[in-house]
Amino acid sequence: MKIKKGFAKREIAGSNIVVPVGKTSLDFNGMITLNESGSFFWDCLCIDTTIDEVVKKVTDEYEVDDATARKDVEAFVKMLEDNNLLEK
């Protein structure tokens, strides 16, 4: 799975913002503000990957146990799925 094309993440005034670009802006009206971990998850999901691979990257980067990382990554992926932002 990975983030669909047509979205750009930008840092604006210290905040990480995701906005639709090009034709995607016709279907997705709005923007997404990401916290630090959400921004990290987003970056991991810009390439084709699995939840297990993202969890591994999270536990390598942050001082967090596998169960907590998995719960957070799965919640983030669900939010992306609910908003039709993922390719499978």
Side-chain angles (χ1 to χ4, degrees):
M1 82 186 121
K2 71 178 184 176
I3 303 288
K4 283 185 175 181
K5 291 182 181 178
F7 292 93
K9 185 182 85 164
R10 300 285 185 256
E11 186 176 330
I12 301 171
S15 295
N16 289 296
I17 308 292
V18 174
V19 295
V21 293
K23 293 181 181 180
T24 304
S25 62
L26 300 173
D27 297 326
F28 187 90
N29 298 319
M31 63 181 176
I32 301 166
T33 303
L34 301 171
N35 62 17
E36 181 183 340
S37 58
S39 179
F40 186 84
F41 300 161
W42 183 275
D43 292 344
C44 291
L45 291 162
C46 284
I47 60 169
D48 196 22
T49 191
T50 66
I51 287 178
D52 289 340
E53 291 169 334
V54 176
V55 168
K56 173 74 171 120
K57 289 178 183 177
V58 170
T59 58
D60 288 348
E61 181 72 19
Y62 296 99
E63 292 183 24
V64 63
D65 63 86
D66 188 73
T68 301
R70 182 169 301 281
K71 183 183 85 167
D72 292 348
V73 169
E74 287 175 349
F76 189 79
V77 167
K78 179 161 180 9
M79 180 275 300
L80 295 175
E81 289 173 338
D82 290 348
N83 289 283
N84 197 30
L85 300 178
L86 286 181
E87 294 179 4
K88 296 231 176 175

Coordinates of all heavy atoms in Angstrom, one line a residue:
M1 N 0.8 -1.2 0.0 CA 0.0 0.0 0.0 C 0.9 1.2 0.0 O 2.0 1.2 0.4 CB -0.9 0.0 1.2 CG -0.3 0.5 2.5 SD -1.3 0.3 3.9 CE -0.2 -0.8 4.8
K2 N 0.3 2.3 -0.5 CA 1.0 3.6 -0.5 C 0.0 4.7 -0.7 O -1.1 4.5 -1.1 CB 2.2 3.6 -1.5 CG 1.7 3.7 -2.9 CD 2.9 3.8 -3.8 CE 2.5 4.0 -5.3 NZ 3.6 4.2 -6.2
I3 N 0.5 5.9 -0.3 CA -0.3 7.1 -0.5 C -0.6 7.3 -2.0 O 0.3 7.1 -2.9 CB 0.4 8.4 0.0 CG1 0.8 8.2 1.5 CG2 -0.4 9.6 -0.2 CD1 -0.3 8.3 2.5
K4 N -1.8 7.7 -2.3 CA -2.2 7.9 -3.7 C -1.4 9.1 -4.2 O -1.1 10.0 -3.5 CB -3.7 8.2 -3.8 CG -4.6 7.1 -3.8 CD -6.0 7.5 -4.0 CE -6.9 6.3 -4.1 NZ -8.3 6.6 -4.3
K5 N -1.2 9.1 -5.5 CA -0.6 10.3 -6.2 C -1.6 11.5 -6.1 O -2.8 11.3 -6.0 CB -0.2 10.0 -7.6 CG 0.9 9.0 -7.8 CD 1.2 8.7 -9.2 CE 2.3 7.7 -9.3 NZ 2.7 7.4 -10.6
G6 N -1.0 12.7 -6.1 CA -1.9 13.8 -6.1 C -2.0 14.6 -4.8 O -2.8 15.4 -4.6
F7 N -1.1 14.2 -3.9 CA -1.0 14.9 -2.6 C 0.4 15.3 -2.3 O 1.3 14.6 -2.6 CB -1.5 13.9 -1.5 CG -3.0 13.6 -1.5 CD1 -3.4 12.5 -2.2 CD2 -3.9 14.5 -1.0 CE1 -4.7 12.2 -2.3 CE2 -5.3 14.2 -1.1 CZ -5.7 13.0 -1.8
A8 N 0.5 16.5 -1.7 CA 1.9 17.0 -1.4 C 1.9 17.4 0.0 O 1.0 18.0 0.6 CB 2.2 18.2 -2.3
K9 N 3.0 17.0 0.7 CA 3.2 17.4 2.1 C 4.2 18.6 2.1 O 5.2 18.5 1.5 CB 3.7 16.2 2.9 CG 3.8 16.6 4.4 CD 4.4 15.4 5.2 CE 5.9 15.6 5.1 NZ 6.7 14.8 6.0
R10 N 3.8 19.6 2.8 CA 4.6 20.8 2.9 C 4.7 21.2 4.4 O 3.8 21.1 5.1 CB 4.1 22.0 2.1 CG 3.9 21.7 0.6 CD 5.2 21.7 -0.1 NE 5.1 21.6 -1.5 CZ 5.3 20.5 -2.2 NH1 5.7 19.4 -1.6 NH2 5.2 20.4 -3.5
E11 N 5.9 21.8 4.7 CA 6.0 22.4 6.1 C 5.7 23.9 5.9 O 6.3 24.6 5.1 CB 7.4 22.2 6.6 CG 7.5 22.7 8.1 CD 8.8 22.5 8.7 OE1 9.5 21.5 8.4 OE2 9.2 23.3 9.6
I12 N 4.7 24.3 6.6 CA 4.3 25.7 6.6 C 4.2 26.3 8.0 O 3.4 25.7 8.8 CB 2.9 25.9 5.9 CG1 3.0 25.3 4.4 CG2 2.4 27.3 5.9 CD1 1.7 25.2 3.7
A13 N 5.0 27.2 8.3 CA 5.0 27.9 9.6 C 5.2 26.8 10.7 O 4.5 26.9 11.8 CB 3.8 28.7 9.9
G14 N 6.0 25.8 10.5 CA 6.3 24.8 11.5 C 5.3 23.7 11.6 O 5.5 22.8 12.4
S15 N 4.3 23.7 10.7 CA 3.3 22.6 10.7 C 3.4 21.8 9.4 O 3.7 22.4 8.3 CB 1.9 23.2 10.8 OG 1.7 23.8 12.0
N16 N 3.2 20.5 9.5 CA 3.2 19.7 8.3 C 1.8 19.6 7.8 O 0.9 19.1 8.5 CB 3.8 18.3 8.6 CG 5.2 18.3 8.9 OD1 6.0 18.7 8.0 ND2 5.6 18.0 10.1
I17 N 1.6 20.0 6.6 CA 0.3 20.1 5.9 C 0.3 19.3 4.7 O 1.3 19.3 3.9 CB -0.1 21.6 5.5 CG1 0.1 22.5 6.7 CG2 -1.4 21.7 4.9 CD1 -0.9 22.3 7.8
V18 N -0.8 18.5 4.4 CA -0.9 17.7 3.2 C -2.1 18.4 2.4 O -3.2 18.6 3.0 CB -1.2 16.2 3.5 CG1 -1.6 15.5 2.2 CG2 -0.1 15.6 4.2
V19 N -1.8 18.7 1.2 CA -2.8 19.3 0.3 C -2.9 18.5 -1.0 O -2.0 17.9 -1.5 CB -2.5 20.8 0.0 CG1 -2.6 21.6 1.3 CG2 -1.2 20.9 -0.6
P20 N -4.1 18.5 -1.6 CA -4.3 17.9 -2.9 C -3.7 18.8 -3.9 O -3.7 20.0 -3.8 CB -5.8 17.7 -3.1 CG -6.4 18.8 -2.2 CD -5.4 19.0 -1.1
V21 N -3.1 18.2 -5.0 CA -2.6 19.0 -6.1 C -3.2 18.5 -7.4 O -3.6 17.3 -7.5 CB -1.0 18.9 -6.1 CG1 -0.4 19.6 -4.9 CG2 -0.5 17.5 -6.2
G22 N -3.2 19.4 -8.4 CA -3.7 19.0 -9.7 C -5.1 18.5 -9.7 O -6.0 19.1 -8.9
K23 N -5.4 17.5 -10.5 CA -6.8 17.0 -10.6 C -7.4 16.5 -9.3 O -8.6 16.4 -9.1 CB -6.9 16.0 -11.7 CG -6.6 16.5 -13.1 CD -6.8 15.4 -14.1 CE -6.5 16.0 -15.5 NZ -6.6 15.1 -16.5
T24 N -6.5 16.0 -8.4 CA -6.9 15.5 -7.1 C -7.7 16.5 -6.3 O -8.6 16.2 -5.5 CB -5.7 15.0 -6.3 OG1 -5.0 14.1 -7.1 CG2 -6.1 14.4 -5.0
S25 N -7.3 17.8 -6.5 CA -8.0 18.9 -5.7 C -9.5 19.0 -6.1 O -10.3 19.6 -5.4 CB -7.3 20.2 -5.9 OG -7.4 20.6 -7.3
L26 N -9.9 18.4 -7.2 CA -11.3 18.4 -7.6 C -12.1 17.4 -6.8 O -13.3 17.6 -6.5 CB -11.5 18.0 -9.1 CG -10.8 19.0 -10.1 CD1 -10.9 18.4 -11.5 CD2 -11.4 20.4 -10.0
D27 N -11.4 16.3 -6.3 CA -12.1 15.3 -5.6 C -11.9 15.4 -4.1 O -12.7 14.9 -3.3 CB -11.6 13.9 -6.0 CG -11.9 13.6 -7.4 OD1 -13.0 14.0 -7.9 OD2 -11.1 12.9 -8.1
F28 N -10.8 16.0 -3.6 CA -10.5 16.1 -2.2 C -10.4 17.6 -1.9 O -9.5 18.3 -2.3 CB -9.2 15.4 -1.9 CG -8.9 15.4 -0.4 CD1 -9.3 14.3 0.3 CD2 -8.2 16.4 0.2 CE1 -9.1 14.2 1.7 CE2 -7.9 16.3 1.5 CZ -8.3 15.2 2.3
N29 N -11.4 18.1 -1.2 CA -11.4 19.5 -0.8 C -11.0 19.7 0.6 O -11.7 19.2 1.5 CB -12.8 20.1 -1.0 CG -13.3 20.1 -2.4 OD1 -12.5 20.3 -3.3 ND2 -14.5 19.7 -2.7
G30 N -9.8 20.2 0.8 CA -9.4 20.4 2.2 C -7.9 20.2 2.3 O -7.2 20.1 1.3
M31 N -7.5 20.1 3.6 CA -6.1 19.8 3.8 C -6.0 18.9 5.1 O -7.0 18.9 5.9 CB -5.3 21.0 4.0 CG -5.6 21.9 5.1 SD -4.6 23.4 5.1 CE -5.3 24.3 6.4
I32 N -4.9 18.3 5.3 CA -4.6 17.5 6.5 C -3.4 18.1 7.2 O -2.4 18.3 6.6 CB -4.3 16.0 6.1 CG1 -5.5 15.5 5.3 CG2 -4.1 15.2 7.3 CD1 -5.1 14.1 4.6
T33 N -3.6 18.3 8.5 CA -2.5 18.7 9.3 C -1.9 17.5 10.1 O -2.7 16.8 10.7 CB -2.9 19.8 10.4 OG1 -3.5 20.9 9.7 CG2 -1.7 20.3 11.2
L34 N -0.6 17.3 10.0 CA 0.0 16.1 10.6 C 0.9 16.5 11.7 O 1.6 17.5 11.6 CB 0.9 15.4 9.5 CG 0.2 14.9 8.3 CD1 1.2 14.4 7.3 CD2 -0.8 13.8 8.6
N35 N 0.8 15.7 12.8 CA 1.8 15.9 13.9 C 3.1 15.2 13.5 O 3.2 14.7 12.4 CB 1.2 15.4 15.2 CG 0.9 13.9 15.2 OD1 1.4 13.2 14.4 ND2 0.1 13.5 16.2
E36 N 4.0 15.2 14.4 CA 5.4 14.7 14.1 C 5.3 13.2 13.7 O 5.9 12.8 12.6 CB 6.3 14.8 15.2 CG 7.7 14.3 14.9 CD 8.7 14.4 16.1 OE1 8.4 15.2 17.0 OE2 9.7 13.7 16.1
S37 N 4.6 12.4 14.4 CA 4.5 11.0 14.1 C 3.7 10.8 12.8 O 4.0 10.0 12.0 CB 3.9 10.2 15.3 OG 2.7 10.6 15.7
G38 N 2.6 11.5 12.6 CA 1.8 11.4 11.4 C 2.6 11.8 10.2 O 2.5 11.1 9.1
S39 N 3.5 12.8 10.3 CA 4.4 13.2 9.2 C 5.3 12.0 8.9 O 5.6 11.7 7.7 CB 5.1 14.4 9.6 OG 6.0 14.8 8.6
F40 N 5.9 11.4 9.9 CA 6.8 10.3 9.8 C 6.0 9.1 9.1 O 6.6 8.5 8.1 CB 7.3 9.8 11.1 CG 8.4 8.7 11.0 CD1 9.7 9.1 10.7 CD2 8.0 7.4 11.1 CE1 10.7 8.1 10.6 CE2 9.0 6.4 11.0 CZ 10.3 6.7 10.8
F41 N 4.8 8.8 9.5 CA 4.0 7.7 8.9 C 3.8 8.0 7.4 O 3.9 7.2 6.6 CB 2.7 7.5 9.6 CG 2.8 7.1 11.1 CD1 1.7 7.3 11.9 CD2 3.9 6.6 11.6 CE1 1.7 7.0 13.2 CE2 4.0 6.3 13.0 CZ 2.8 6.5 13.8
W42 N 3.4 9.3 7.2 CA 3.1 9.7 5.8 C 4.3 9.5 4.9 O 4.2 8.9 3.8 CB 2.7 11.2 5.8 CG 2.3 11.7 4.4 CD1 3.2 12.2 3.4 CD2 1.0 11.7 3.9 NE1 2.5 12.5 2.3 CE2 1.1 12.3 2.6 CE3 -0.3 11.4 4.3 CZ2 0.0 12.5 1.7 CZ3 -1.3 11.6 3.5 CH2 -1.2 12.1 2.2
D43 N 5.5 9.9 5.4 CA 6.7 9.7 4.6 C 7.0 8.3 4.3 O 7.4 7.9 3.2 CB 7.9 10.4 5.3 CG 7.8 11.9 5.4 OD1 7.0 12.5 4.6 OD2 8.6 12.5 6.2
C44 N 6.7 7.4 5.3 CA 6.9 6.0 5.1 C 6.0 5.4 4.1 O 6.4 4.5 3.4 CB 6.7 5.2 6.5 SG 8.0 5.5 7.7
L45 N 4.8 6.0 4.0 CA 3.8 5.4 3.1 C 3.8 6.1 1.7 O 3.0 5.8 0.9 CB 2.4 5.6 3.7 CG 2.1 4.7 4.9 CD1 1.0 5.3 5.8 CD2 1.9 3.3 4.5
C46 N 4.8 6.9 1.4 CA 4.9 7.5 0.1 C 5.5 6.5 -0.9 O 5.5 6.7 -2.1 CB 5.8 8.7 0.1 SG 4.9 10.1 0.8
I47 N 6.1 5.4 -0.4 CA 6.5 4.3 -1.3 C 5.7 3.1 -0.9 O 5.1 3.0 0.2 CB 8.0 4.0 -1.1 CG1 8.3 3.6 0.4 CG2 8.9 5.2 -1.5 CD1 9.7 3.0 0.6
D48 N 5.6 2.1 -1.8 CA 4.8 0.9 -1.6 C 5.5 0.2 -0.4 O 6.7 -0.1 -0.4 CB 4.8 0.0 -2.8 CG 3.8 -1.0 -2.8 OD1 2.8 -0.9 -2.0 OD2 3.9 -2.0 -3.5
T49 N 4.7 -0.1 0.6 CA 5.2 -0.7 1.9 C 4.1 -1.5 2.5 O 2.9 -1.6 2.1 CB 5.7 0.4 2.8 OG1 6.5 -0.2 3.8 CG2 4.7 1.3 3.3
T50 N 4.4 -2.1 3.7 CA 3.4 -2.8 4.5 C 3.4 -2.2 5.9 O 4.3 -1.5 6.3 CB 3.8 -4.3 4.6 OG1 5.0 -4.4 5.4 CG2 4.0 -5.0 3.3
I51 N 2.3 -2.6 6.6 CA 2.2 -2.1 8.0 C 3.4 -2.6 8.8 O 4.0 -1.8 9.6 CB 0.9 -2.5 8.6 CG1 -0.2 -1.7 8.0 CG2 0.9 -2.4 10.1 CD1 -1.6 -2.0 8.5
D52 N 3.8 -3.8 8.6 CA 4.9 -4.4 9.3 C 6.2 -3.6 9.1 O 7.0 -3.3 10.0 CB 5.2 -5.9 9.0 CG 4.1 -6.8 9.5 OD1 3.4 -6.4 10.5 OD2 4.0 -7.9 9.0
E53 N 6.4 -3.2 7.8 CA 7.6 -2.4 7.5 C 7.6 -1.0 8.1 O 8.6 -0.5 8.6 CB 7.8 -2.3 6.0 CG 8.1 -3.6 5.3 CD 8.0 -3.6 3.8 OE1 7.2 -2.8 3.2 OE2 8.7 -4.4 3.2
V54 N 6.4 -0.4 8.1 CA 6.3 0.9 8.8 C 6.5 0.8 10.3 O 7.2 1.6 10.9 CB 4.9 1.6 8.4 CG1 4.8 2.9 9.2 CG2 4.8 1.8 6.9
V55 N 5.9 -0.2 10.9 CA 6.1 -0.4 12.3 C 7.6 -0.6 12.7 O 8.1 0.0 13.6 CB 5.3 -1.7 12.8 CG1 5.7 -2.0 14.2 CG2 3.8 -1.4 12.8
K56 N 8.3 -1.3 11.8 CA 9.8 -1.5 12.1 C 10.5 -0.2 12.0 O 11.4 0.1 12.8 CB 10.3 -2.5 11.0 CG 11.8 -2.6 11.0 CD 12.3 -3.4 12.2 CE 13.8 -3.8 12.0 NZ 14.6 -3.2 13.1
K57 N 10.1 0.7 11.0 CA 10.8 2.0 10.9 C 10.5 2.9 12.1 O 11.3 3.6 12.5 CB 10.3 2.7 9.6 CG 10.9 2.0 8.3 CD 10.3 2.7 7.1 CE 10.9 2.0 5.8 NZ 10.3 2.6 4.6
V58 N 9.2 2.8 12.6 CA 8.8 3.6 13.7 C 9.6 3.1 15.0 O 10.2 4.0 15.7 CB 7.3 3.5 14.0 CG1 6.9 4.1 15.3 CG2 6.5 4.1 12.9
T59 N 9.7 1.8 15.2 CA 10.4 1.4 16.4 C 11.9 1.6 16.3 O 12.6 1.8 17.3 CB 10.2 -0.1 16.7 OG1 10.5 -0.9 15.6 CG2 8.7 -0.4 17.0
D60 N 12.5 1.7 15.0 CA 13.9 2.0 14.8 C 14.1 3.5 15.1 O 15.2 3.9 15.6 CB 14.3 1.7 13.4 CG 14.5 0.2 13.2 OD1 14.5 -0.6 14.2 OD2 14.6 -0.2 12.0
E61 N 13.1 4.4 14.8 CA 13.3 5.8 14.9 C 12.9 6.4 16.3 O 13.6 7.3 16.8 CB 12.4 6.5 13.8 CG 12.5 8.0 13.8 CD 13.8 8.5 13.2 OE1 14.6 7.8 12.5 OE2 14.1 9.7 13.5
Y62 N 11.9 5.8 16.9 CA 11.4 6.3 18.1 C 11.5 5.3 19.3 O 11.5 4.1 19.0 CB 9.9 6.7 18.0 CG 9.6 7.8 17.0 CD1 9.2 7.5 15.7 CD2 9.8 9.1 17.4 CE1 9.0 8.5 14.8 CE2 9.6 10.2 16.5 CZ 9.2 9.9 15.2 OH 8.9 10.9 14.3
E63 N 11.6 5.8 20.5 CA 11.6 4.9 21.6 C 10.2 4.5 22.0 O 9.5 5.0 22.9 CB 12.3 5.6 22.8 CG 13.7 5.8 22.6 CD 14.4 6.4 23.8 OE1 13.9 6.3 24.9 OE2 15.4 7.0 23.6
V64 N 9.7 3.5 21.3 CA 8.3 3.0 21.4 C 8.3 1.5 21.2 O 9.1 1.0 20.4 CB 7.3 3.7 20.5 CG1 7.7 3.5 19.0 CG2 5.9 3.4 20.7
D65 N 7.5 0.8 22.0 CA 7.4 -0.6 21.8 C 6.6 -1.0 20.5 O 5.8 -0.2 20.0 CB 6.8 -1.3 23.0 CG 5.4 -0.9 23.3 OD1 4.5 -1.5 22.7 OD2 5.2 0.1 24.1
D66 N 6.8 -2.2 20.1 CA 6.1 -2.7 18.9 C 4.6 -2.6 18.9 O 4.0 -2.2 18.0 CB 6.5 -4.2 18.6 CG 6.1 -4.7 17.3 OD1 6.7 -4.3 16.3 OD2 5.2 -5.5 17.2
A67 N 4.0 -3.0 20.1 CA 2.5 -2.9 20.2 C 2.0 -1.5 20.0 O 1.0 -1.3 19.3 CB 2.1 -3.6 21.5
T68 N 2.6 -0.6 20.7 CA 2.2 0.8 20.6 C 2.4 1.4 19.2 O 1.5 2.0 18.6 CB 3.0 1.7 21.6 OG1 2.7 1.2 22.9 CG2 2.5 3.2 21.5
A69 N 3.5 1.1 18.6 CA 3.8 1.5 17.2 C 2.8 0.9 16.2 O 2.2 1.6 15.4 CB 5.2 1.1 16.8
R70 N 2.5 -0.4 16.4 CA 1.5 -1.0 15.5 C 0.1 -0.4 15.7 O -0.6 -0.1 14.7 CB 1.4 -2.5 15.8 CG 0.5 -3.3 14.9 CD 0.6 -4.8 15.0 NE 2.0 -5.2 14.7 CZ 2.4 -5.3 13.4 NH1 1.6 -5.1 12.4 NH2 3.7 -5.7 13.2
K71 N -0.3 -0.1 16.9 CA -1.6 0.5 17.1 C -1.7 1.9 16.5 O -2.7 2.2 15.8 CB -1.9 0.6 18.6 CG -3.2 1.2 19.0 CD -3.4 1.3 20.5 CE -2.8 2.7 20.8 NZ -2.9 3.3 22.0
D72 N -0.7 2.7 16.6 CA -0.6 4.0 16.0 C -0.6 4.0 14.5 O -1.3 4.7 13.8 CB 0.5 4.8 16.6 CG 0.4 5.1 18.0 OD1 -0.7 5.0 18.6 OD2 1.4 5.6 18.6
V73 N 0.2 3.1 13.9 CA 0.3 3.0 12.5 C -1.0 2.5 11.9 O -1.5 3.0 10.9 CB 1.5 2.0 12.1 CG1 1.4 1.7 10.6 CG2 2.8 2.7 12.4
E74 N -1.6 1.5 12.5 CA -2.9 1.0 12.0 C -4.0 2.0 12.1 O -4.8 2.1 11.2 CB -3.3 -0.3 12.8 CG -2.5 -1.5 12.5 CD -2.7 -2.7 13.3 OE1 -3.5 -2.7 14.3 OE2 -2.2 -3.8 12.9
A75 N -4.0 2.8 13.2 CA -5.0 3.9 13.3 C -4.8 4.9 12.1 O -5.8 5.4 11.5 CB -4.9 4.6 14.6
F76 N -3.5 5.3 11.9 CA -3.2 6.2 10.8 C -3.6 5.7 9.4 O -4.3 6.4 8.6 CB -1.7 6.6 10.8 CG -1.4 7.7 9.9 CD1 -1.6 9.0 10.3 CD2 -0.8 7.4 8.7 CE1 -1.2 10.0 9.4 CE2 -0.4 8.5 7.8 CZ -0.7 9.8 8.2
V77 N -3.3 4.4 9.2 CA -3.7 3.8 7.9 C -5.2 3.7 7.8 O -5.7 4.0 6.7 CB -3.1 2.3 7.8 CG1 -3.7 1.5 6.7 CG2 -1.6 2.4 7.6
K78 N -5.9 3.4 8.9 CA -7.4 3.4 8.8 C -7.9 4.8 8.4 O -8.9 4.9 7.6 CB -8.0 3.0 10.1 CG -9.5 3.0 10.1 CD -10.1 2.1 11.1 CE -11.6 2.1 11.1 NZ -12.4 2.7 10.0
M79 N -7.4 5.9 9.0 CA -7.8 7.2 8.7 C -7.6 7.5 7.2 O -8.4 8.0 6.5 CB -7.0 8.2 9.5 CG -7.4 9.7 9.2 SD -6.5 10.5 7.8 CE -4.8 10.4 8.3
L80 N -6.4 7.0 6.6 CA -6.1 7.2 5.2 C -7.1 6.4 4.4 O -7.6 6.9 3.4 CB -4.7 6.8 4.9 CG -3.6 7.6 5.5 CD1 -2.2 7.0 5.2 CD2 -3.6 9.1 5.1
E81 N -7.4 5.2 4.8 CA -8.4 4.3 4.0 C -9.8 5.0 4.1 O -10.5 5.0 3.0 CB -8.4 2.9 4.6 CG -7.2 2.1 4.4 CD -7.2 0.8 5.1 OE1 -7.9 0.6 6.1 OE2 -6.4 -0.1 4.6
D82 N -10.2 5.4 5.2 CA -11.5 6.1 5.4 C -11.7 7.3 4.5 O -12.8 7.6 4.1 CB -11.8 6.5 6.8 CG -12.0 5.3 7.8 OD1 -12.1 4.1 7.3 OD2 -11.9 5.5 9.0
N83 N -10.5 7.9 4.2 CA -10.6 9.1 3.3 C -10.1 8.9 1.9 O -9.9 9.8 1.1 CB -9.7 10.2 4.0 CG -10.4 10.8 5.2 OD1 -11.3 11.6 5.1 ND2 -10.0 10.4 6.4
N84 N -10.0 7.6 1.6 CA -9.6 7.1 0.2 C -8.3 7.7 -0.3 O -8.2 8.2 -1.4 CB -10.8 7.4 -0.8 CG -10.6 6.7 -2.0 OD1 -10.1 5.6 -2.1 ND2 -11.1 7.3 -3.1
L85 N -7.3 7.7 0.6 CA -6.0 8.3 0.3 C -4.9 7.2 0.0 O -3.8 7.6 -0.3 CB -5.5 9.2 1.4 CG -6.4 10.4 1.8 CD1 -5.9 11.1 2.9 CD2 -6.6 11.3 0.6
L86 N -5.3 6.0 0.0 CA -4.3 4.9 -0.2 C -4.5 4.1 -1.5 O -5.7 3.8 -1.8 CB -4.3 3.9 1.0 CG -3.7 4.3 2.3 CD1 -3.8 3.2 3.3 CD2 -2.3 4.7 2.1
E87 N -3.4 3.8 -2.1 CA -3.5 2.8 -3.2 C -3.2 1.4 -2.5 O -2.4 1.4 -1.6 CB -2.4 3.0 -4.2 CG -2.5 4.3 -5.0 CD -1.4 4.5 -6.0 OE1 -0.5 3.6 -6.1 OE2 -1.3 5.5 -6.6
K88 N -3.8 0.4 -3.0 CA -3.5 -0.9 -2.4 C -2.8 -1.8 -3.4 O -2.8 -1.6 -4.5 CB -4.8 -1.6 -2.0 CG -5.5 -0.8 -0.9 CD -5.8 -1.6 0.2 CE -6.4 -0.8 1.3 NZ -6.8 -1.5 2.4

